[in-house]
Amino acid sequence: MSVTAPSPVIEVRGVSKSFPGVQALSNVELQLGQGEVLAVVGENGAGKSTLMKILAGVQAPDRGEVLVDGKPLKAFSVEHALDRGIALIHQELNLADNLDVAANIFLGREPHRFGLIDRSRLHHEADHFLKLVGLDISPITLTSTLSIGQQQMVEIAKAISVDARVLIMDEPTSSLSHRETEALFAVVRDLKRRGVSILYISHRLGEVKELADRVVVLRDGHNAGELQRDEISHDRIVRLMVGRDVSQFYDHRSHPAGDVMLDVDRLVTSAHPGESVCFQIRAGEVVGMAGLVGAGRTEILESIFGISPSLGGRVRIAGREVSRPSPQESVANGLGLVPEDRKQQGLILSMAVQQNLSLVNLFARVAAGCLVHRRYARELAGQIMDRLRIKTANARQIVRDLSGGNQQKVVLGKWLAIGPRVLLLDEPTRGVDVGAKHEIYRLIEDLAESGVAILFVSSEMEEILGLSDRTLVLHEGRITGELTRAQLSEEAVMQLATGAAGQTAMPAFGEIRSQTSPAENE
Amino acid sequence: MKKVLGILTLLIVVCAFTAWQSEHFLTSYNLQNLTRLTGLFGVLGIGVAFVIITGGIDLSIGSVIALTGSLLPYLLVKQGWSVPAALAAVSLMSAGIGLAHGLLVAKMNLQPFVVTLCGLLLYRGAARWLTADETQGFGAGYDGLKWLASGTVPLPGTGGFEIPVPLLIMCGLGVLAAVLLNLTLFGRYLLAIGRNEQAARFSGIRTDRIVIAAYVICSLCAGLGGMLFALEVRSVQPAGMGNFYELYAIAAAVLGGCALRGGEGSILGVVIGTALMRVLQNAISLLGYPSQLEFAIIGVVILLGVLTDEIVRRLAAYRHTRYQTRQSAD
């Protein structure tokens, strides 16, 4: 069994790291024993990924040190970390999809003679590692033809092939199916038996409970606490993560649902041309949309908003048919989208808060003729900043210099300026600190109370569970289930999101499916 | 491979059409000229393919040709250097230019477009200043050198057709480049960097060095091309030599399947692309189209080529997703 060895394989001492506007880590401590599976949990923006990047040599800390086998790491580079036996499996896929699977597994470490790649050995060895992770594909398969889950398993095969003593897994199951997840767990247990230490980052507390010997919780870049194997429970982890009881954190109020504000009928997106989705959202409703990476959630929001074209279907906003959704039309109809990537899609980072806030509204009201109505823009900015409690010196501050939470409030504020009827939020609290998160949740509740229909996409289970009146679950472009607040649980969402509901004969899912089918057949 | 087949078909169609319309096309004089120019331009295309595969671009090729093309006769004739010394100096300078580009792109993070655009202006200016804008020639001697550009090797059994030496040089270079790209670690890393630089870096590959090497290869090829072009035309005008040649090279690489976003490319494709460009130009003059239209016709053909390619790609992607969704539905 797992016992923290007398001298840890990895010891993190007082590590701090800041990025412009964000203190990502402050004075973080961590120890990892040999053959130990240590789960590192925390909300998005808690600093987990930064810590892992430092351990893997991708980034250097501002202060503090990392000891491997009792000796400090002198340089922070990927090569150096690999030399010391530390390998990182990335959260985002990091494969060159123009190359075959074998090439990706051994990228940078190809068997070669005189600079020529030894293909037969390469393929032979790759085959071995593919079998090890339970992936039944040929090593010469082109990576771009694999599903996202399979690509993730290739990443894992790649990390294992390094023969690492410490393996860092950053959300390895975020896009895996149930079966693939099981295969991964088997691999993890096998590695542990062979004395490999594993740092396991996950949002899925069920996985943490199943795998981890110990849990370290980070909150806003600090050590928030630690749980031993027998202390690990869902509630305890969450309490450490958010710093208070969940019931207080998500102050869920139910609102009387009004008229149908958003009616999506047989919408087909480019991500899954073979599937279509149907759903309705009423005024005052907060509807969550859950699913794995690649389920097509973002594409649905973008197609409704009209930024990416839909391949078919109808969208009605407040009873009015939108024949060809476009951002211009959406703004005119009072539908706003808070996009997933706020820095790229949500904000113009080099412009001031005030200019960003009046961007959407510019041609509706802020502009007098073709000149910007400065006084109106300033007043508008002032109102929104007060309402959202955006913390800046003044409205002329450049958005780039704000914290993640304040930036996100500016994106939301942009849409408040048009007096929205429907708001689509894509990962509304990604990379936002706990305090700001709480405020954004409250704002969402306030908006719903005032009659706005809200559809939000989130990969954070806590958020889905805490916020939504109703939850739509997607699997590979299809709505596999709809859960009311009473039916909502982490397990139910995961089953539907991994498409397991169709295969396992669980009575609960039969129920759910029969509930959704009328909408789908409509 | 499919990509190469498409462009090869286009090449054959254009050749067949031209041969049908003009009896001059298949004469050994015309074919010799055509293949000589294909060889000369092919050297440039092969070089730039390496840079394009990394996701970069080199706009300075034409000016490097002007600089190396004027420098070779200048050093030999005006300065009286020995042949090996002059060749070594010019090659070294070409490599140095590539090294500078690579360092600026990989270490200083400047955009390849900007770096090589500045190079385009800089080397042209340097060539004109160095030679005081005077035409440079080789005079009567240097027959061995000239043979490299204008010599031929008889091909028995073809009724007088002789293979131009530049074509042989390009073939040799092409084989070398294809081996480098497809069989070596360097080539593998080049493709990986072009598609996903971050993945390559996270795999412990020294991406900087690979990128720098690509620019060095490109400029070396441009320098070699410059010397060969100079030996072929015999009299080099620093102001006009090599104008637009970078665009020919880039167009040939793109036609041959190099994606400007990086990560894709085939040496055979580049060679066929170069041949297509040359045949088009040849056809325009043989078939009596107004020569003023030359650029316009080439432009339209390239556009059609890449357009077809994009449409085919989209169709394939669409079928792929259709296939996958049907599979998962079953």
Side-chain angles (χ1 to χ4, degrees):
Chain A
M1 260 325 283
S2 63
V3 182
T4 312
S7 74
V9 182
I10 285 190
E11 191 173 357
V12 174
R13 283 190 189 159
V15 160
S16 299
K17 172 86 185 170
S18 64
F19 299 105
V22 196
Q23 180 75 36
L25 293 174
S26 49
N27 225 12
V28 168
E29 310 269 334
L30 183 139
Q31 293 189 347
L32 176 67
Q34 198 196 341
E36 185 182 28
V37 178
L38 174 63
V40 178
V41 299
E43 297 194 281
N44 282 337
K48 295 166 299 186
S49 291
T50 308
L51 180 60
M52 298 310 126
K53 280 185 182 157
I54 287 172
L55 290 177
V58 179
Q59 279 162 355
D62 298 339
R63 259 183 328 213
E65 57 180 357
V66 176
L67 278 69
V68 180
D69 298 325
K71 278 171 281 177
L73 271 185
K74 283 189 196 71
F76 286 86
S77 75
V78 180
E79 279 178 302
H80 195 63
L82 283 174
D83 270 358
R84 305 287 295 262
I86 305 171
L88 170 68
I89 297 169
H90 295 272
Q91 187 176 356
E92 289 112 30
L93 290 171
N94 241 317
L95 301 170
D97 67 4
N98 54 343
L99 300 179
D100 64 28
V101 170
N104 269 294
I105 292 178
F106 285 100
L107 192 59
R109 298 172 292 112
E110 294 84 351
H112 59 92
R113 260 176 306 179
F114 318 114
L116 293 177
I117 295 168
D118 185 345
R119 275 167 195 258
S120 60
R121 234 178 87 202
L122 176 68
H123 293 155
H124 184 72
E125 289 182 19
D127 204 36
H128 167 72
F129 288 106
L130 287 173
K131 289 220 173 74
L132 213 61
V133 296
L135 207 52
D136 185 23
I137 54 172
S138 155
I140 54 169
T141 314
L142 197 62
T143 311
S144 59
T145 62
L146 300 180
S147 74
I148 293 176
Q150 287 174 318
Q151 291 190 18
Q152 185 84 38
M153 292 310 273
V154 171
E155 284 253 37
I156 290 164
K158 177 177 175 175
I160 294 171
S161 73
V162 182
D163 215 7
R165 292 181 309 135
V166 177
L167 213 53
I168 303 171
M169 298 186 168
D170 194 354
E171 304 256 6
T173 57
S174 60
S175 46
L176 296 190
S177 73
H178 195 68
R179 202 168 50 88
E180 288 166 327
T181 303
E182 286 301 320
L184 174 71
F185 285 3
V187 171
V188 168
R189 293 198 184 97
D190 182 47
L191 290 169
K192 177 182 157 69
R193 253 194 309 278
R194 290 193 269 144
V196 177
S197 310
I198 288 158
L199 268 173
Y200 193 89
I201 302 179
S202 182
H203 275 117
R204 304 206 179 139
L205 302 184
E207 289 177 5
V208 170
K209 247 191 295 187
E210 195 176 333
L211 274 184
D213 297 319
R214 196 157 54 93
V215 178
V216 164
V217 184
L218 295 182
R219 182 171 72 236
D220 293 342
H222 294 82
N223 282 92
E226 196 179 309
L227 298 169
Q228 300 298 326
R229 177 97 189 108
D230 48 356
E231 299 172 318
I232 299 174
S233 79
H234 188 272
D235 286 353
R236 277 177 133 158
I237 296 176
V238 173
R239 211 171 304 136
L240 288 174
M241 273 167 65
V242 301
R244 68 190 102 186
D245 281 337
V246 200
S247 51
Q248 293 166 9
F249 193 61
Y250 298 94
D251 132 55
H252 185 267
R253 297 165 247 164
S254 43
H255 325 283
D259 297 336
V260 174
M261 277 293 151
L262 178 67
D263 182 1
V264 174
D265 186 18
R266 277 166 290 177
L267 183 76
V268 183
T269 67
S270 55
H272 296 275
E275 306 285 349
S276 67
V277 293
C278 301
F279 58 86
Q280 296 183 333
I281 297 174
R282 293 174 177 274
E285 251 192 325
V286 180
V287 177
M289 195 178 255
L292 303 179
V293 174
R297 297 168 298 171
T298 295
E299 288 81 0
I300 289 175
L301 297 196
E302 289 184 346
S303 290
I304 295 172
F305 182 65
I307 196 91
S308 44
S310 59
L311 303 181
R314 281 185 314 169
V315 173
R316 271 204 214 102
I317 302 170
R320 247 179 75 188
E321 170 116 21
V322 187
S323 51
R324 257 179 176 277
S326 71
Q328 294 74 31
E329 186 104 3
S330 295
V331 171
N333 285 322
L335 179 138
L337 168 71
V338 173
E340 188 176 11
D341 183 347
R342 75 172 153 268
K343 288 186 179 168
Q344 293 287 332
Q345 304 164 330
L347 295 166
I348 298 176
L349 288 175
S350 57
M351 292 204 324
V353 172
Q354 177 184 317
Q355 288 165 320
N356 270 289
L357 282 175
S358 52
L359 212 54
V360 179
N361 209 13
L362 217 50
F363 293 98
R365 266 165 283 177
V366 181
C370 49
L371 295 176
V372 175
H373 197 319
R374 282 167 182 273
R375 193 165 53 86
Y376 184 87
R378 200 163 52 237
E379 284 168 6
L380 180 82
Q383 283 168 20
I384 294 172
M385 284 169 65
D386 282 350
R387 182 161 169 205
L388 298 186
R389 279 179 274 173
I390 297 172
K391 292 168 202 115
T392 62
N394 59 52
R396 287 191 301 277
Q397 183 149 3
I398 300 301
V399 169
R400 190 193 312 273
D401 301 332
L402 301 184
S403 72
N406 279 311
Q407 286 184 351
Q408 190 68 355
K409 287 190 204 167
V410 174
V411 185
L412 275 160
K414 244 169 62 168
W415 292 108
L416 293 193
I418 65 164
R421 285 190 279 203
V422 183
L423 268 182
L424 312 175
L425 312 174
D426 199 351
E427 304 283 359
T429 63
R430 177 167 284 180
V432 161
D433 64 69
V434 177
K437 219 167 187 171
H438 191 52
E439 289 183 53
I440 289 172
Y441 294 150
R442 223 179 29 219
L443 179 72
I444 291 175
E445 295 286 350
D446 287 348
L447 285 168
E449 204 156 58
S450 70
V452 179
I454 290 170
L455 173 63
F456 75 98
V457 162
S458 179
S459 297
E460 279 183 61
M461 193 61 80
E462 291 302 320
E463 208 161 277
I464 292 280
L465 299 182
L467 265 185
S468 45
D469 296 322
R470 192 152 60 89
T471 304
L472 302 170
V473 188
L474 259 87
H475 173 66
E476 290 182 0
R478 200 175 338 154
I479 295 181
T480 47
E482 182 177 333
L483 301 165
T484 62
R485 196 152 175 86
Q487 295 167 319
L488 198 56
S489 72
E490 183 168 347
E491 290 71 28
V493 172
M494 280 322 297
Q495 288 275 4
L496 290 169
T498 51
Q503 291 141 31
T504 50
M506 281 183 67
F509 291 110
E511 215 171 287
I512 292 154
R513 287 183 71 80
S514 66
Q515 275 181 356
T516 46
S517 49
E520 279 174 355
N521 298 335
E522 201 178 317
Chain B
M1 209 60 229
K2 265 187 202 151
K3 243 177 161 173
V4 174
L5 277 181
I7 174 101
L8 188 62
T9 314
L10 190 58
L11 175 65
I12 291 168
V13 168
V14 175
C15 283
F17 179 76
T18 318
W20 172 49
Q21 289 288 313
S22 160
E23 75 239 55
H24 298 297
F25 183 71
L26 287 179
T27 59
S28 39
Y29 173 77
N30 187 55
L31 286 181
Q32 246 160 264
N33 243 330
L34 192 59
T35 47
R36 181 190 313 281
L37 285 172
T38 302
L40 290 169
F41 280 100
V43 169
L44 310 179
I46 290 168
V48 81
F50 282 89
V51 165
I52 290 178
I53 287 170
T54 66
I57 195 88
D58 190 346
L59 298 178
S60 72
I61 293 170
S63 295
V64 171
I65 288 170
L67 184 56
T68 53
S70 355
L71 207 59
L72 185 67
Y74 176 80
L75 290 179
L76 287 173
V77 178
K78 294 261 165 61
Q79 303 292 323
W81 286 31
S82 71
V83 173
L87 287 180
V90 174
S91 303
L92 216 63
M93 192 192 62
S94 311
I97 286 172
L99 184 66
H101 291 168
L103 286 171
L104 288 170
V105 169
K107 297 284 186 193
M108 299 302 294
N109 274 328
L110 299 185
Q111 286 165 339
F113 190 99
V114 175
V115 169
T116 57
L117 179 66
C118 295
L120 177 147
L121 300 168
L122 182 60
Y123 312 134
R124 174 74 58 187
R128 293 180 63 174
W129 170 74
L130 202 71
T131 57
D133 239 350
E134 285 169 16
T135 302
Q136 304 290 311
F138 291 92
Y142 305 110
D143 286 339
L145 273 183
K146 285 173 184 165
W147 178 82
L148 288 175
S150 40
T152 54
V153 176
L155 190 64
T158 51
F161 178 76
E162 301 189 345
I163 308 169
V165 178
L167 184 71
L168 294 174
I169 293 176
M170 183 205 70
C171 287
L173 201 67
V175 169
L176 217 64
V179 168
L180 194 62
L181 186 62
N182 298 311
L183 300 180
T184 64
L185 293 178
F186 172 75
R188 179 60 56 85
Y189 296 165
L190 209 60
L191 289 166
I193 289 170
R195 181 53 63 97
N196 190 340
E197 207 225 333
Q198 197 179 323
R201 226 177 29 234
F202 282 16
S203 299
I205 295 169
R206 300 189 176 212
T207 53
D208 292 3
R209 294 187 184 185
I210 307 284
V211 170
I212 292 169
Y215 281 92
V216 171
I217 290 172
C218 182
S219 293
L220 265 176
C221 286
L224 174 64
M227 292 190 273
L228 290 176
F229 273 113
L231 290 162
E232 214 258 343
V233 298
R234 306 278 161 99
S235 73
V236 178
Q237 289 167 318
M241 172 87 167
N243 266 334
F244 287 120
Y245 282 16
E246 61 278 334
L247 298 184
Y248 286 131
I250 293 166
V254 170
L255 270 175
C258 292
L260 285 181
R261 63 185 97 83
E264 275 168 56
S266 116
I267 300 298
L268 185 61
V270 173
V271 170
I272 296 172
T274 310
L276 179 61
M277 303 273 300
R278 287 304 113 205
V279 173
L280 275 175
Q281 203 157 36
N282 191 227
I284 288 163
S285 67
L286 284 182
L287 303 185
Y289 294 119
S291 65
Q292 294 92 328
L293 269 181
E294 182 191 317
F295 279 157
I297 293 173
I298 293 177
V300 168
V301 170
I302 296 174
L303 199 60
L304 286 177
V306 291
L307 202 63
T308 317
D309 188 57
E310 180 66 21
I311 290 168
V312 168
R313 202 180 59 79
R314 280 194 196 184
L315 271 176
Y318 182 71
R319 280 204 199 118
H320 185 67
T321 47
R322 261 286 144 93
Y323 175 73
Q324 280 199 327
T325 44
R326 218 173 286 150
Q327 289 260 303
S328 62
D330 289 344

